[in-house]
Amino acid sequence: MQTPLRVLFVEDSEIDAELTTAELKRGGFLPTVQRVETRPDMEKCLRDSEWDLIICDYLMPRFSAAAALSTLKASGIDLPFIIASGAVTAEDAVSLLKEGAHDFMDKGALARLVPAIERELREADVREQRRQAEAQVEVLSQALEQCPASVVITSPDGNIEYVNSYFEKASGYSASDAKGRSLGFTLQKEEHEHLMSELSQLVTEGQRWSGEMRSIRADGEMFWEYVKASPLMNEDKSVSHYIVVKEDITVQRDYEQQLLRQAHYDDLTGLANRVLLVEKLTQALQNAQQNNSQLAVLGIDLDDFKNVNDSVGHSIGDTLLKQAAQRLSSCIRSGDIVARMGGDEFVLVLPLLSDAKNAELMAQRIVQKFSKPFNIAGRQYSVTCSIGISVYPDDTSDAHMMLRNADLAMYQSKDQGRDQYQFFTEDINRRLVERLDLEEKLRNVVDNGELALQYQPIFNLETQKIAGFEALVRWPQADGSVIMPDSFIPAAENIGVIQKIDEWVLASACRETAPFLLSGDDNLCLAINISPLQLEDPGYVAFVMAQLEANQLEPRHLELEITERVLVSDAETTDRNIKALTELGIRMSVDDFGTGYSSLGYLKRYPLHTLKIDRSFVADMDVDDSARRLVETIILMAKGLQMDVIAEGIETESQQVLLHELGCSQAQGYFLSRPVSLQSLAQKISAQNSNKSPPLRLIK
Ligand code: C2E
Ligand code: MG
Ligand code: MG
């Protein structure tokens, strides 16, 4: 097969050009030729067409080989340039070869021409490939230089031979500082040793390696790098270099650390949070199991912290929590774990306990620490704590159960008067199971229509007539027993069904008793107990009004009983609701008065109508002089504030007489009447209306 060949002749003799062309054809080429004999023509041809080869005469009338060669050089094109001439001296030929001509031959002896061309074409090809390779290397080295990551090239033993400019920027070391030093010279010592040993492993396995490392900048600042190292292999499979690419991942690392911290530590106090505590407790329980030792979990809850938070604000509350955390931390020994579980709840884990007695000593120490008031912004706040203790292996070996048991024991401490500790016991457990059971059943009491109402008449001690009645909720059971409100209202508040219950009570009581309230001219009043949560509902006033309207009742027919707890809570919605209700003409009374808070400021703040003296004072008043004086004081105070007084829990005639003497206007109690069914209430009221009502003390 003939090889196409594009030949540019620089030749004044057409015949010579043809002869040479014929020689080329003989040699197996398929030549396309063009002949020029001046510089401008040659320049044009080089510009307009592509060539494989130039065959040039030595001397021409208007041109020369030397001039043609410089024309070719000036064009920048790399072409084999062969001089074919009849008359040239050896010196001239050598000087032209030095100038860049590729070969020289006699026009009369062209036998060498074809092999020479073949050789030159091959060499031109090699030159072209080399040029391309060089261009590629140039691009690659530019890429390395401009790469937005540190690139380091080392010898097989890890000595730096090259660093790019990003490395200089990131590490603060110049290329000349870095060259010749060990690859990991910016790393911390241990990490350096680790990296180098991993790299040597890499050599034997011929694999890549990557990992995160801490480096130290020239200015001493620490930063994180993601390091990828790969060996460059020789043909004989030995390592010629390492290429190491390093990315600065400090920002990501910081972010990860922050997330990790947030996930495991409490922001406010810096203590471990629930997640970390459970992790550590699980670990500690395993250790205790292996070492046959004991372990204690102390559940710690601040007493009345909510009051501080609600009354003086969250910022003081937060400071108090921080100080509480410090007090707890100051009690523990190394190895103990202290965590904040949320709110005012803390947990202490005492691992590898030799004796459960030590847990008790710790609990005593904490209770004692909390007996001193907290000093915040110049004021003192007394906040004690209640503690529950669960011990492994006595109670359980499960972390969550340990926490739950400690929690239950802590609630027991609260129930028993706070500011103390309790160990978890089976009895506590049984009560919990009962409570959970009760709560479960409570969720649907309203929907299942399981509740019922009783009414306890309230008497006017002056007229001896029924002035009103208090609705009291009951939960009759299938076995005929009845669960009383004291046993289920707290649980209902706990699980959030109290509102539903109280709404049912209000709606049912209004509906059931509307006929009595509207009949006769006795100005009877229906008293309803409401939970503090009701008053936190912005829709509560509208709900109450809707119940009154639905039964054609007026605001004066209703008295809502709230506890002192509500009045000091200082919640905005509660405040607005109380004011709106009283403005509408609904009466509001303070139930169980005297058992709550010492501050009486709220009595001035709200237009309340009635104080209901708690039955504990009434119970003692005919035997205990100070109780009697207390009741007397309450009655006087109420009068001063233009409020009505109702004495609760009258059980004897002497109490009734005494209260009447002290000026108490109304009373309720077993001596006057127990809470009764709607029917009995109806009978009592109609008997009274028809003047058949017996004297007060006979109503039982
Ligand atoms: P309370 O509002 O102070 O109601 C008076 C409680 O004292 C009633 O108990 C009543 O039966 C009892 N009592 C009345 N007279 C005497 C007496 O002479 N001696 C003795 N020992 N007790 C007497 P009850 O019905 O068990 O209610 C207990 C508490 O449960 C109520 O105290 C009230 O705070 C709450 N409660 C009752 N019904 C409701 C309700 O519908 N909603 C809410 N949120 N709480 C309710
Ligand atoms: Mg009441
Ligand atoms: Mg009461």
Side-chain angles (χ1 to χ4, degrees):
M1 213 184 75
Q2 289 178 313
T3 313
L5 188 70
R6 295 160 301 182
V7 185
L8 177 63
F9 281 105
V10 183
E11 175 64 79
D12 60 324
S13 157
E14 196 174 344
I15 293 178
D16 283 357
E18 279 173 8
L19 281 173
T20 310
T21 307
E23 184 63 27
L24 290 173
K25 285 184 182 159
R26 256 198 306 283
F29 288 107
L30 186 62
T32 322
V33 304
Q34 170 97 34
R35 187 177 64 80
V36 295
E37 48 187 302
T38 63
R39 184 192 294 266
D41 285 351
M42 181 182 175
E43 284 172 345
K44 184 171 181 332
C45 280
L46 287 174
R47 231 178 8 249
D48 294 350
S49 314
E50 287 197 4
W51 306 98
D52 296 315
L53 173 74
I54 292 173
I55 299 177
C56 183
D57 196 1
Y58 181 66
L59 209 65
M60 289 153 283
R62 288 182 287 161
F63 210 14
S64 71
L69 194 56
S70 75
T71 306
L72 176 63
K73 271 196 196 165
S75 76
I77 301 170
D78 178 20
L79 280 179
F81 188 93
I82 295 172
I83 298 165
S85 170
V88 67
T89 64
E91 291 77 19
D92 290 342
V94 168
S95 100
L96 281 171
L97 288 173
K98 277 191 183 158
E99 283 299 311
H102 293 98
D103 207 344
F104 171 84
M105 63 195 59
D106 197 323
K107 267 186 190 170
L110 287 177
R112 263 184 61 239
L113 180 64
V114 169
I117 289 174
E118 283 171 344
R119 185 196 69 228
E120 284 311 319
L121 289 178
R122 265 196 317 273
E123 283 186 5
D125 204 30
V126 169
R127 280 201 305 281
E128 178 57 25
Q129 281 178 17
R130 192 164 55 229
R131 240 191 329 272
Q132 282 179 11
E134 279 167 8
Q136 211 171 357
V137 166
E138 177 63 17
V139 170
L140 287 176
S141 84
Q142 284 298 318
L144 270 189
E145 262 315 289
Q146 292 170 24
C147 174
S150 299
V151 180
V152 180
I153 298 177
T154 75
S155 62
D157 52 5
N159 284 330
I160 295 177
E161 292 182 358
Y162 165 86
V163 296
N164 69 348
S165 39
Y166 196 90
F167 174 93
E168 296 183 303
K169 204 169 79 185
S171 69
Y173 290 101
S174 70
S176 53
D177 282 342
K179 272 182 202 159
R181 295 173 80 165
S182 168
L183 167 62
F185 83 97
T186 56
L187 298 177
Q188 295 212 314
K189 188 165 172 287
E190 321 82 76
E191 305 215 342
H192 183 185
E193 281 162 12
H194 177 63
L195 173 70
M196 295 323 271
S197 91
E198 295 237 338
L199 279 184
S200 60
Q201 179 80 10
L202 194 91
V203 186
T204 43
E205 291 169 11
Q207 284 171 6
R208 289 154 176 270
W209 179 89
S210 62
E212 292 181 3
M213 312 230 125
R214 258 174 314 169
S215 281
I216 302 165
R217 251 184 268 276
D219 61 11
E221 196 183 322
M222 183 120 77
F223 67 111
W224 278 94
E225 289 184 309
Y226 179 63
V227 181
K228 279 185 283 188
S230 10
L232 279 185
M233 307 305 257
N234 284 320
E235 275 174 7
D236 65 357
K237 298 270 167 23
S238 62
V239 173
S240 82
H241 292 90
Y242 286 115
I243 296 215
V244 180
V245 180
K246 307 198 287 178
E247 250 176 284
D248 188 338
I249 50 160
T250 313
V251 175
Q252 291 102 297
R253 262 314 264 242
D254 284 354
Y255 185 57
E256 281 167 21
Q257 292 294 319
Q258 194 189 336
L259 285 184
L260 225 57
R261 242 193 332 271
Q262 278 171 357
H264 287 115
Y265 291 91
D266 169 47
D267 262 358
L268 181 70
T269 60
L271 297 181
N273 67 7
R274 179 184 294 272
V275 177
L276 187 58
L277 189 267
V278 171
E279 243 170 59
K280 288 194 167 186
L281 176 58
T282 309
Q283 181 66 48
L285 280 166
Q286 279 166 6
N287 288 349
Q289 229 155 2
Q290 279 158 11
N291 297 312
N292 267 337
S293 66
Q294 290 180 297
L295 175 154
V297 171
L298 276 68
I300 304 156
D301 195 280
L302 306 189
D303 300 326
D304 292 326
F305 172 74
K306 197 174 175 309
N307 287 342
V308 174
N309 224 13
D310 288 348
S311 56
V312 289
H314 290 250
S315 123
I316 301 263
D318 283 357
T319 312
L320 199 147
L321 286 173
K322 279 195 231 171
Q323 290 190 10
Q326 280 159 9
R327 283 191 192 183
L328 287 176
S329 303
S330 73
C331 293
I332 62 169
R333 298 162 311 175
S334 80
D336 295 348
I337 305 158
V338 57
R340 178 172 172 229
M341 307 299 269
D344 57 351
E345 248 182 89
F346 297 85
V347 160
L348 208 71
V349 176
L350 310 177
L352 301 177
L353 201 67
S354 52
D355 187 347
K357 188 93 192 113
N358 293 342
E360 191 169 2
L361 290 176
M362 175 63 91
Q364 282 167 356
R365 195 176 327 154
I366 295 172
V367 166
Q368 211 234 324
K369 274 250 168 190
F370 279 76
S371 65
K372 289 192 205 81
F374 290 83
N375 199 332
I376 301 168
R379 275 189 61 184
Q380 308 238 305
Y381 300 90
S382 284
V383 173
T384 55
C385 70
S386 299
I387 302 178
I389 309 169
S390 170
V391 176
Y392 165 85
D394 300 0
D395 300 339
T396 167
S397 60
D398 176 82
H400 291 282
M401 288 298 276
M402 288 290 289
L403 289 169
R404 164 195 171 270
N405 291 353
D407 226 29
L408 292 181
M410 185 271 290
Y411 281 115
Q412 180 75 2
S413 297
K414 293 242 182 217
D415 281 352
Q416 309 229 315
R418 305 161 172 213
D419 193 16
Q420 56 181 286
Y421 61 87
Q422 288 281 331
F423 277 91
F424 172 79
T425 60
E426 250 328 295
D427 191 39
I428 293 179
N429 199 32
R430 186 186 45 75
R431 256 176 290 163
L432 169 86
V433 172
E434 281 171 11
R435 203 185 81 198
L436 290 179
D437 194 40
L438 178 86
E439 285 181 356
E440 199 41 49
K441 288 199 290 174
L442 253 183
R443 285 180 207 283
N444 300 316
V445 273
V446 175
D447 292 341
N448 293 348
E450 293 175 41
L451 296 178
L453 289 176
Q454 279 194 326
Y455 298 90
Q456 185 174 36
I458 300 168
F459 289 87
N460 182 323
L461 290 177
E462 196 56 48
T463 62
Q464 309 209 341
K465 286 179 127 189
I466 295 175
F469 35 86
E470 177 176 2
L472 295 162
V473 66
R474 303 287 180 255
W475 186 11
Q477 299 296 294
D479 62 2
S481 64
V482 175
I483 304 184
M484 299 303 272
D486 279 340
S487 309
F488 70 87
I489 295 285
E493 285 184 340
N494 244 351
I495 60 168
V497 296
I498 186 66
Q499 279 122 310
K500 210 167 168 186
I501 293 180
D502 278 356
E503 283 175 6
W504 176 86
V505 170
L506 180 70
S508 311
C510 285
R511 194 185 56 248
E512 285 182 356
T513 64
F516 319 143
L517 295 168
L518 295 168
S519 75
D521 19 62
D522 280 331
N523 280 334
L524 289 181
C525 183
L526 164 67
I528 300 271
N529 295 285
I530 60 172
S531 138
L533 291 172
Q534 291 270 272
L535 290 169
E536 287 173 21
D537 175 5
Y540 186 60
V541 177
F543 172 77
V544 173
M545 291 312 286
Q547 300 316 310
L548 293 180
E549 270 161 38
N551 298 289
Q552 278 103 47
L553 293 174
E554 287 170 32
R556 70 179 164 87
H557 289 125
L558 188 62
E559 177 152 318
L560 298 176
E561 298 192 3
I562 53 182
T563 55
E564 292 174 281
R565 191 153 55 113
V566 176
L567 296 164
V568 293
S569 78
D570 211 22
E572 218 177 283
T573 318
T574 302
D575 197 87
R576 215 174 306 126
N577 276 339
I578 295 178
K579 288 185 173 145
L581 288 165
T582 49
E583 270 163 28
L584 285 165
I586 290 170
R587 300 165 62 90
M588 300 213 75
S589 59
V590 186
D591 204 354
D592 305 338
F593 182 76
T595 55
Y597 295 83
S598 49
S599 156
L600 294 175
Y602 64 82
L603 290 178
K604 277 197 298 185
R605 190 142 56 96
Y606 298 109
L608 304 164
H609 295 92
T610 312
L611 291 185
K612 295 191 77 171
I613 305 173
D614 190 68
R615 72 162 182 270
S616 58
F617 305 117
V618 174
D620 294 342
M621 64 183 291
D622 47 355
V623 287
D624 176 353
D625 224 27
S626 61
R628 191 189 59 78
R629 275 203 300 278
L630 197 79
V631 171
E632 189 176 1
T633 312
I634 295 176
I635 295 168
L636 284 173
M637 187 181 72
K639 284 199 168 150
L641 291 163
Q642 271 98 48
M643 293 175 82
D644 286 345
V645 191
I646 301 178
E648 294 187 286
I650 298 186
E651 291 186 349
T652 65
E653 187 173 10
S654 64
Q655 288 164 356
Q656 184 203 316
V657 171
L658 200 51
L659 281 162
H660 189 216
E661 279 171 17
L662 292 176
C664 175
S665 54
Q666 296 183 53
Q668 77 190 100
Y670 291 173
F671 176 70
L672 302 166
S673 166
R674 285 183 174 264
V676 295
S677 66
L678 181 74
Q679 287 82 355
S680 303
L681 179 73
Q683 282 166 11
K684 285 176 195 290
I685 292 172
S686 72
Q688 173 170 293
N689 285 344
S690 56
N691 271 336
K692 277 188 271 164
S693 91
L696 256 185
R697 72 189 118 72
L698 295 180
I699 303 175
K700 279 192 194 165

